[in-house]
Structure formats: C-alpha cells, structure tokens
Amino acid sequence: MSSIYRIDIGRKKVTVEDVPEIYRHLGGRGLSAAILLDEIDPTTDPFSAGNKCIVAPGLLSGTLAPCSGRLSVGGKSPLTGTIKESNSGGLAAQKLARLGVKALIFEGEPNREGTLIKINKRGIEILPGDAYRGLANYECVKRLREQFGDRIATITVGPAGERRFLNSTVAVSDMDGIPTRQAARGGMGALLSSKGVKAILIDDLGTSIIQPRNFEKFKKACSVFVRNLIDTKQILRKFGTAGVLNPVNSVGGLPTRNFSRGQFEKSQELSGERVYDMIRERGGEGKYAHVCCPGCVIACSNVFVDKEGKSIVSSLEYETITLLGANLEVSSLDEIAKMNHRCNDLGLDTIETGVTLGVAMESGLVPFGDAQKASDMIEEIGKGSLIGRVLGNGAVTAGRVLGVTRIPAVKGQAIPAYDPRGLKGTGTTCILTPMGADHTAANCLPGRGGVDCTKPDGQVALTMAIQALVAVLDTLGLCIMTGSDPANDKFLAGLMSGFTDEEWTGEKVMEWGKSILRMEHRFNEAAGFSSAQDQLPSFFLTEKLPPLGHTYDVPYEDAEKAKRNLMEERGL
Amino acid sequence: MSSIYRIDIGRKKVTVEDVPEIYRHLGGRGLSAAILLDEIDPTTDPFSAGNKCIVAPGLLSGTLAPCSGRLSVGGKSPLTGTIKESNSGGLAAQKLARLGVKALIFEGEPNREGTLIKINKRGIEILPGDAYRGLANYECVKRLREQFGDRIATITVGPAGERRFLNSTVAVSDMDGIPTRQAARGGMGALLSSKGVKAILIDDLGTSIIQPRNFEKFKKACSVFVRNLIDTKQILRKFGTAGVLNPVNSVGGLPTRNFSRGQFEKSQELSGERVYDMIRERGGEGKYAHVCCPGCVIACSNVFVDKEGKSIVSSLEYETITLLGANLEVSSLDEIAKMNHRCNDLGLDTIETGVTLGVAMESGLVPFGDAQKASDMIEEIGKGSLIGRVLGNGAVTAGRVLGVTRIPAVKGQAIPAYDPRGLKGTGTTCILTPMGADHTAANCLPGRGGVDCTKPDGQVALTMAIQALVAVLDTLGLCIMTGSDPANDKFLAGLMSGFTDEEWTGEKVMEWGKSILRMEHRFNEAAGFSSAQDQLPSFFLTEKLPPLGHTYDVPYEDAEKAKRNLMEERGL
C-alpha cells in the first residue's frame, strides 16, 4: 500500500498518511491537481506558506508498463500564477512508486535551508544540506553519489531554483546517474527550493515491481502497447525529437530571430537528421536511441558528443535546438549543446532561456547569432549578477526590463518552439491549457489528426482531444512520446483495465482526462484567470510571419466556447 | 460647443468630432472610462495599437467652480493592466476646456516619434519634437516656453515615459510655469509616449470662461462650496497634505522600512508642522498656502526651499515624504525634497519610486537610511542603466528581479503611504478600486466618517461611499482635496444643478459616481480581473505591524460582496 508523505522542513516534520479513496486512481498530474484544489487557496502567493509543492510518480510508475517513469512536480507556479504540473523522465518516479510513495507534499513556511531528503525502505529523513548549497546540478549529484552511493536516484534543485528564479527547474537523474532530465517549466525549482529542499535521494533497495490487480490482463495490455510503440516510433528512435525540425520548418512555423520568421535558412544544420549523422560520425560516447528511464521502448533520447567523442549533453532535444538555435540565429549544434548542458547544470528551462535570450537579442543587449555572448548571458544567470537576475526570471520580466514589447509568452510563460502562426493547433494549446504556454499539453504537429496545422479549421477540437489524452498520460506517468493521438485511448483503457481489474473503455479514458482538465481550470478560475487571459500576444495576430505569411487566425470565440463546453460537461 | 479630437500621430491625422449626447454630462475620469469601454478591447496589450490614451479636462474645468482644474489622463495601464485614470492639477485642464476640448484621444500604432501637439483657438497641429526628445521635464518646458511663449500651459512626458518605463508620469505645468504637477500613477507617461507624444502645448488666448446653463444657480452653488472650503480646510492650507503625517504615524500606519513598521522614530522631522516651520524659517522663495491652479481656494501646495531660500521642489507632499522618507528610513526633508524634484523632472511617480526603493533596500542593494545612494538610484533610472531599468519599471518588477517577496503592491501598482494594517479603510480602497493600489480613489484617513481606521468594522461601507463620491469629483475635474466626505454630495449636487439647469440631488450624485465605478469594473472584468485579484500581498494579513501589532483583518468576503452589490445595482 502506498502512502502520502507530508514534509514540513521548517518544522522538521514528516507525516505519513493513508491515501484517501478518492485519490486511489490518481497519480502524477491528476493527483497533484486534486491535492492542490483540495488543500491550497488558489489566490495564495506562490512563495508563501499557503503554497505546496507536490512530487508524485505516475499511477503506473513502478509497474511493467512501458515508458511509465514520468515524475510530476506540481504547485501554484511562481512564473504563471496558474496551477502547474511539470514532469520529467529519469529514475525517480519508478523508485518512489516502488517505495510506496504516492506523493511527497512539501508544505509550510518558505525557508532557505536547502536540506536533503533521504528516502528508502525505512522511511524519510531530513538531513542538513549545507555542503551542497549553491552547487550546480552535475557537481551536486556527483558528490551526493559519492556520499550516499551509486544506487540513489536524485531529484535536485540547481542554483537557479535556489535563487528563486522564475525560470528554474527540478532535475532528475537518469540511468547514467546524471541530472539531465528536467521538470522544466513554470519555475518548479524555485518552488521546491522555497520549501527548503536542495535534493531528494531515493534508494529503492529491497522493493519490487508494483503489481496490477489483474496481472494477465495488464501484461497483455502492455504487450499490445509495446508492439504499437515499436511499430510506430522508429523515426523518433532514430532522429530523436529533433526529427520534427524539418517538418516544422517546412510549414513555416520554426521560431527564428525572436519569433520574427518561421523558417531558418540554416535549418539543415539543426535538423534531427544532422544530429543523428553527427552522433554517428563522431562516435565515442555518442548515442542515439538512448533511453532515459527503464522500460522505455521508444528511446528518443541521445548523448550528443563533441569532435573528440566526449559527451556534451544528454539529451539534445528539438525545443532546445530551435530556441537556443534558430530563435537566436545560432546554427552550431555544438554551441547549442554546450548551452543546453549549462542550462541543465544550473537548473534552467531551455525553452524559457531560449525565448528570454531571443527577447534580449531583440533589445540589442546581445547580437543575434552570437553564441558566445548568449553563452556568457547563461553564465551571468548562474552567477546571479544583475543582468543574470533579469534574464533568470524569464522572458516576460526580461522583456519588461529591457523594453521589448514583442514577448512570446502566454500567462507569463514562454511559448515553446512552435510559432502559433504556423502550428495553429499547438498555438491554441498554448492559450487553452491551464499551464500557460506549453506544447506538452497537446502538441499538434504537422499532419496530426489529419488537420492542416497552418489552417484555422479543426485546431480547437484537435487540441481539446489531445489535451484530455495527455492529462491521462501525465496522470499515469506515461511519457507523451508514447503518442498523444486521441486514438491511443484504447491502449490506455487496456492498461487501466488490467491495473484496476475494472472495465475501462477508450471513452472512459477521455472522460477521465477531461475531468482532470476541469480540476485544473477550476483552480485557475479561483486564482483569477478567465478567458480574457486565454490569448496570444497581439503580434501573433497582426504580424505576418515571413516567409509564408501566416498569422494566428483561430477565432478566440471558438477556443472560449470549447473551454466553456468542457467545464459544463459532467463526465467522471 | 466642445469637441472630441482624435490624434493619430503615426498617420499625422487629427479628426474633430462632435460630442455624442451620451458623453454630454461626462468629463475627466468618467468620460475616459466611457470612451475606453466603448472603443477599446479590454484585453488589448497596453503598448499596442489597440490601446488609446485619453486626455480630458473635468466637466467643470474652465468654469468658475473652485478647484476645478484637474486634468485626467486615461487608458489601459501598462503597469496594472486595468483601466486607469490618473489626474493632475496645473493649468492644462482649464485651458483645454476653454478651447472647447472635451477630450484628446491619442490612438493608432505605437511609435517613437516624440512629437509636439500644439493646441490653440485655431485648432490642433502636430509638430516635430526632435529637439525635445530625451529632455527632462524642467529643461523641456523651459525650452518650450522660450520657443512658444510664456502663455502656454504644457503637458509633457519625461525621460521615464520616453523609455516606456512602467513607472512614468505625465507632467502638467503649474501657475509658475514649471512642470511640477503630475498625473503620476499607472505608467500613463509611457502610454502617452507610446502614442508619439513628447509634449502638448496649450494656448487659450482669445477664449473665455465656460458658462453654465444657469449662471445664477451655479454662482450661488460655487459660493456655498467656496465658503465651506475656506471654513474647513485651514489645516490643509497651513501644513499641506503632510499635515496627516502625525495622525497616520499615531495610529501606527506610517509605512516605515519597506512597510515593516508602522511608526517612524524620526517622524517629527518629516511632519507637516516641520515642513511649515522650515518654509517659514528659511524664507526666500519658500511658500506655503500655495495654489497649483487658478480658482483654488484650498492652497495645500507649497514651495519647499533650501537653507539659502532657493526652491528645491514644489510641492512637497505627504505621500512623497513618507515613501521617500520613513519607508527608506530617511529623515531629512532636504534630501527627500531633492529626490522629489528629480522624480518630477524625470517623470517618475514618487509613490512607485519610494516603494520600489524600499524593496531595493530590503534586497540589500542599497542600505536603509542612505539618502545619497537612494538618490543615485534615481539617477540610474534617469540614465536608463540596467539597474535603472529594473527600478524604473516599478516595485513588482524590481522585487521579482531582486528576489524580494515582500512587495507592497496590488494589481501591479505600489501601495501608497498608508499601511493597510493601520489604515484599514484605505487598505480596502487599494483592493477594491478599479485602479490598482491607489489612495486617491478613497482615502479613509484617521477619523474619517466616524470609523476607527485601525478596526475592521465599517471600512468596506466607508470606502465604497467615498469611492463613488471621488469618481464624481474626478469626473467634474474637482480636486479631491475639496473633500471626499460622502456628506459633500450636496455641494456637488448644487454645482451640477447650476451647470446643467437640471435638478440634481446628493443621492443622484452618488448614483452617478457608482455608475462610473461600474463602467470601470466592467472594463476590468473583461480584461480578466476578478475578485481573486482584489487582495493584498499576504504579509499584510500575517505579519503583525510593529509597534502596535496591527494586521489587515477586514474580511475579503465583505469587500467582495460590496463590489458584487455595486455591480448588481442599476442606478443611473
């Protein structure tokens, strides 16, 4: 039986609670939403005692379900002011699940203690973290493994979170024992740090795999799911997420020069094909088809290496390549990979960082195309200098200070690597998701759902369906790379039928997803959000995006209506 | 007959329109609200073509009504995102009214032209402003008067507004021909500048006083009003607005050390009595009982002088003294006066500046009590250095960048010189007014309305009544110093009866005020504001304010209910 652990570091107190029946079928994102809605005042200041930080494995984490290692970190976001769930791969979720941790709830007064939380079969301990404070993630995890042994999985907050920067991540260690997976968005690093956490160390020695209620049914559902993943994810396995760069560039939606162009003339130098070629040519530590957590059958990760074959970063992903690359007019994958590594090390979201640097370049602070100066700015963030503080608080704050009005952000959070004018479904996701601009809530890539991503038609229905499915994936702890096509509801129904030994249909899965979205929207509404904030910055509606001339023209009324309909449905 | 002038500087176009019947009884704030509600999308980006900047004299400006020289500057605020009206004394309102200007509506694409708008009996001209761009207000106005003659009244944007700082004012020249009166709050300087304006020059040669519909009735109402003002405003005349410093300090609500104490040990050095004594002792150019616009019978302004009797600033007011003084633990009126002058010169709101510097001091950037370093920071804002840009964008942005969580602000705007814990009525105003934290919307000073300002009881009813009355004062162009006691409705009814030759009662005046508030709240609601944002930062509810131990304990539900009731009434 799993339990909920409440941790109040200021009071040095850990409380263990049984899981209430209503949370039984929840995990990850859905559980985080339910707890936040039940326990915090949505109008609370994010950095006050009123806020909480929820760390929760998915419902299927720790089982034999493939790709089920996502860890959710939730709370009221200091960046967006909305409810927030940010999730990450790596080892932590599966180990926490096997240890019987349904959720860790960090609560209480904000403090700057920077402690260690040690979790193993014997329970949870709060240990002093003095020796680790201020350390960047890689050095911190290296030393933690020296002190606590190589078995541990780690969850760490980097210097950006320790400084309470609104752009700050929670880092999770991967199968290579390095803190390269990130719950990156919404400033969750600052939130977790404000509750007094520097690192969480997890040792699952002596635990075993989580058993479903109906093993045979579950195993069969897993096989069907795995077979489908192996059949359909081959391009992803080869080229990684950067495989979408060429298609996104083709439709004219690749953020370039602070979202002022939709195609980058040097896009070929940044493509997934190029990443793959370089890794193969350079050899050494380089890997493609790399996995970030046990049980992954997709393997979209990679280890990107320098000319000598030494690892620069793992994993080099599409959003990072585009936003630290095309968006800054930087065309060197080596330079991008180095910046990516340094962001991971400091605990900075590469999406927010890339967009912030694009805004800084538009202000003239740094020239477009200058990777060295962009890199220097990331170092300034690390040092916490004045310009570092400005940039470390994200695109909206930086734009305000630097006097830039073209700031690509929704609800305070930077728009990811899909220009809403060229990828109208993902653009619509950015305005409709409860999370602030976030493609992971429903990424409507070119061709998805048979909808033309450059036309307004069908986008609202597409994003709403995918959002519901993704809410379930994030609740189960399944990677979104398993496929957020709404037709995948049947695989999830199979898994849930086996796991619970109750009858689940695809329809029920979708209803469940919608009920999770409703919780999140209810939180936001009580926090003061209305459809008035479900909008893009106006330049996306008025500036034609060269060279293909797209504008964002999905009617806001349609989006508003879809959200209203969602909220009026009753469902699960 | 007066007209509405639309000015689109980008297109070099001025359009003259008759005043629609529905605007006939509106002026100043009420007119600005009506135009904004009718013409702009409340969700528009403040610095986009969708926003407008309305400059409007009050309905009674230019008549013989006493203290009727307030000029309203309105728009969607870049600082708060709410509807905003900020008003100022000086000469401009009366001259515009006499020239038949009901309102100037600046509209169109944002631009950086920094032009001059010349207004006289022959009409409106757009002139190049190249020679004036970047000039601080005093030098700018001096040169404008050299070029265009001493008769002109001026409305200018200082360097802060030209840089689009969210803390930036619109300055209006006074009877001494200096730009010392400021429509200070909400970043209206940045908004006016974004429409291409550096200065507006007004020459009313050849015009005459505005005639009411019923001269005898109006004259009589004015006499009654004047008599009341002369009888009741003697302390204000002598000690200026700083006369309230001692009472506010006594009740333990004087913002001290970034709102962490409610009494300042050196309060005597900052009191209105001390201001009066120093002006009298020093002689020279010093003045008390000074007026800022013709027809003022209160004369709460002053000219504060140095030891040699040379003017430092006019006028040295309570909010400035407290926020650049006690709130920074600065106890020298000379230093405060110098900072005040420099803020006026650069076009910075002294309230937002004082609160921002308090936050900066809490971050450790500048030591509390160090007037020289505080002054240096104001110079940095003037230069537009990086730290200047951080501070020039107001308390919330500065706090975010500098990592301070105790930021005294509501809806993005700094709380004025009344700690909401000690002055609970004014604190309630700050959450309930449509304008973001703003005492001028309803200042519930100690003793006002027979309510104990340190107790929660009666505050909501008091602020709601005063807010309605003030909405009328701001619409008529009457100074709030004429008295925002709800019992004053009868004087306003008298003035309106004479002006319109229709029957006005005190009750009708109050209904009118409520209808203006409803327009403003409707705008905000459509802009995405709900009662969730009608809150103080949580430290006001949790930190006991030394030495008297007040917390803010007016129930939010009561405030919410009062607003709901207001919105449900139909009235005028």
Side-chain angles (χ1 to χ4, degrees), chain A residues 43 45 47-48 78-79 112 166 386-387 389-390 393 397 400-403 405 525-528 530 532-533 535 537-538, chain B residues 43 45 47-48 78-79 112 166 386-387 389-390 393 397 400-403 405 525-528 530 532-533 535 537-538:
Chain A
T43 68
D45 290 348
F47 289 134
S48 73
L79 181 69
R112 298 198 170 262
L166 301 190
L386 183 65
I387 186 64
R389 300 193 71 90
V390 169
N393 279 294
T397 297
R400 181 171 275 200
V401 170
L402 299 173
T405 48
E525 205 178 299
S530 72
Q533 287 100 325
Q535 300 210 3
S538 58
Chain B
T43 68
D45 291 348
F47 289 134
S48 73
L79 181 70
R112 296 198 171 262
L166 300 190
L386 183 65
I387 186 64
R389 301 193 71 90
V390 169
N393 280 293
T397 298
R400 180 170 276 201
V401 170
L402 299 173
T405 48
E525 206 177 298
S530 72
Q533 289 99 325
Q535 300 209 3
S538 57

Side-chain angles (χ1 to χ4, degrees), chain B residues 163-474:
Chain B
R163 292 190 197 278
R164 304 286 186 276
F165 288 169
L166 300 190
N167 175 1
S168 55
T169 68
V170 171
V172 179
S173 62
D174 70 358
M175 291 177 73
D176 302 321
I178 53 175
T180 187
R181 317 311 304 186
Q182 311 264 336
R185 309 225 65 197
M188 292 294 107
L191 175 57
L192 188 56
S193 177
S194 78
K195 296 300 176 192
V197 177
K198 172 63 182 171
I200 303 171
L201 327 171
I202 308 156
D203 182 352
D204 65 348
L205 186 70
T207 65
S208 49
I209 199 165
I210 304 286
Q211 293 298 338
R213 291 271 176 111
N214 186 326
F215 182 74
E216 284 309 317
K217 233 160 132 185
F218 190 66
K219 199 175 74 172
K220 198 172 153 205
C222 289
S223 308
V224 174
F225 193 34
V226 166
R227 172 55 45 212
N228 174 266
L229 293 174
I230 290 173
D231 288 350
T232 58
K233 303 293 169 181
Q234 292 179 7
I235 290 179
L236 196 51
R237 189 172 302 125
K238 190 165 168 189
F239 298 131
T241 57
V244 303
L245 193 141
N246 276 337
V248 170
N249 192 62
S250 296
V251 298
L254 192 79
T256 303
R257 204 181 164 91
N258 190 30
F259 288 74
S260 69
R261 296 184 60 80
Q263 288 182 342
F264 183 40
E265 54 185 7
K266 297 180 181 163
S267 66
Q268 286 317 309
E269 297 177 37
L270 301 180
S271 68
E273 290 78 351
R274 181 94 183 103
V275 173
Y276 170 77
D277 287 345
M278 283 173 78
I279 291 173
R280 288 215 311 172
E281 280 160 22
R282 289 175 170 186
E285 295 168 11
K287 283 180 196 155
Y288 65 94
H290 176 249
V291 302
C292 83
C293 67
C296 174
V297 297
I298 299 173
C300 70
S301 175
N302 61 43
V303 178
F304 189 81
V305 290
D306 64 15
K307 285 176 186 154
E308 282 70 48
K310 276 212 59 79
S311 167
I312 306 178
V313 74
S314 168
S315 164
L316 186 60
E317 308 262 4
Y318 166 73
E319 286 76 16
T320 307
I321 291 172
T322 300
L323 292 170
L324 291 172
N327 193 47
L328 310 184
E329 294 191 331
V330 167
S331 59
S332 156
L333 281 175
D334 286 323
E335 295 299 335
I336 295 166
K338 281 188 258 174
M339 288 193 269
N340 186 352
H341 171 71
R342 197 58 178 136
C343 286
N344 291 350
D345 201 22
L346 294 168
L348 291 169
D349 173 16
T350 54
I351 294 176
E352 193 72 39
T353 305
V355 174
T356 304
L357 290 175
V359 166
M361 285 178 171
E362 179 157 324
S363 82
L365 181 77
V366 177
F368 277 106
D370 193 330
Q372 183 55 51
K373 292 228 171 78
S375 232
D376 293 346
M377 287 297 125
I378 294 173
E379 292 308 318
E380 293 298 320
I381 301 176
K383 283 184 228 159
S385 68
L386 183 65
I387 186 64
R389 301 193 71 90
V390 169
L391 301 174
N393 280 293
V396 170
T397 298
R400 180 170 276 201
V401 170
L402 299 173
V404 175
T405 48
R406 290 178 75 265
I407 307 172
V410 177
K411 300 187 182 81
Q413 183 164 274
I415 294 177
Y418 309 86
D419 194 299
R421 290 166 287 193
L423 290 110
K424 294 179 180 174
T426 304
T428 308
T429 300
C430 286
I431 62 173
L432 274 176
T433 166
M435 301 287 165
D438 190 343
H439 66 291
T440 68
N443 202 2
C444 308
L445 289 166
R448 183 153 290 173
V451 173
D452 180 345
C453 64
T454 68
K455 297 276 184 319
D457 318 273
Q459 305 301 348
V460 171
L462 182 64
T463 177
M464 291 305 287
I466 299 182
Q467 282 185 59
L469 193 95
V470 168
V472 174
L473 292 174
D474 292 343

Side-chain angles (χ1 to χ4, degrees), chain A residues 142-220:
Chain A
K142 185 169 153 269
R143 293 201 203 168
L144 285 169
R145 288 162 65 91
E146 283 163 12
Q147 185 178 350
F148 296 93
D150 274 358
R151 281 196 53 86
I152 58 166
T154 59
I155 298 171
T156 50
V157 175
E162 289 185 81
R163 292 190 197 279
R164 305 286 186 276
F165 288 169
L166 301 190
N167 174 1
S168 55
T169 70
V170 172
V172 179
S173 62
D174 69 0
M175 293 177 70
D176 304 320
I178 52 175
T180 186
R181 317 310 305 186
Q182 311 265 334
R185 309 226 63 198
M188 291 295 106
L191 175 58
L192 187 56
S193 176
S194 78
K195 296 300 176 193
V197 177
K198 172 62 181 172
I200 303 171
L201 327 172
I202 308 156
D203 183 353
D204 65 349
L205 187 69
T207 64
S208 49
I209 198 166
I210 304 286
Q211 293 300 339
R213 292 270 177 113
N214 185 325
F215 182 76
E216 285 309 317
K217 233 163 132 185
F218 190 66
K219 200 175 74 171
K220 197 171 153 205

Side-chain angles (χ1 to χ4, degrees), chain B residues 492-558:
Chain B
L492 308 185
L495 292 171
M496 281 301 286
S497 296
F499 187 70
T500 62
D501 203 19
E502 291 166 8
E503 206 48 54
W504 282 72
T505 60
E507 200 182 21
K508 183 170 170 187
V509 164
M510 296 303 280
E511 286 304 318
W512 190 29
K514 288 198 252 178
S515 74
I516 294 161
L517 293 173
R518 276 194 289 272
M519 284 196 285
E520 294 171 336
H521 284 298
R522 276 209 301 276
F523 183 100
N524 285 356
E525 206 177 298
F529 289 86
S530 72
S531 53
Q533 289 99 325
D534 295 344
Q535 300 209 3
L536 293 168
S538 57
F539 74 86
F540 288 108
L541 282 71
T542 55
E543 279 181 23
K544 284 189 183 178
L545 184 65
L548 302 187
H550 303 307
T551 57
Y552 181 80
D553 54 1
V554 179
Y556 281 148
E557 309 84 78
D558 294 358

